Amino acid sequence: MSETRRLLVEGLSDAVGFVGGALAGYGLAWLMGFDIFAPGYGPASLLGIALVGLGGGLGLHGARRWRAAQPPSDTSTPPAPKDKG
């Protein structure tokens, strides 16, 4: 895989993981009744903001784990094993 393609995959997977995780955190906060857009910075608003940040971080971590688990896409043949004799 070329360096440009590798960097594109890395950036896009990080972005999708972060945004997806942040949206999941927002949804969880909304289900729990924490309004992140409430006026002021009350405890419920701060907890909601924390859940969005936590979700974004977990999504980013998940994207990086997914990328690390992918097999290398290098199509070249591996080097021959060396003789131990």
Side-chain angles (χ1 to χ4, degrees):
M1 179 181 317
S2 70
E3 184 71 11
T4 303
R5 182 168 170 83
R6 186 188 65 77
L7 290 173
L8 181 64
V9 168
E10 181 178 342
L12 286 176
S13 65
D14 280 356
V16 168
F18 178 79
V19 172
L23 287 173
Y26 173 73
L28 182 62
W30 181 77
L31 287 174
M32 296 173 72
F34 301 137
D35 184 11
I36 67 170
F37 299 113
Y41 289 106
S45 180
L46 290 176
L47 283 172
I49 292 168
L51 282 173
V52 170
L54 183 65
L58 289 173
L60 178 62
H61 182 70
R64 289 183 176 173
R65 286 188 60 145
W66 170 81
R67 200 170 54 245
Q70 299 303 304
S73 63
D74 187 18
T75 58
S76 64
T77 58
K82 295 187 178 194
D83 189 20
K84 293 186 178 183

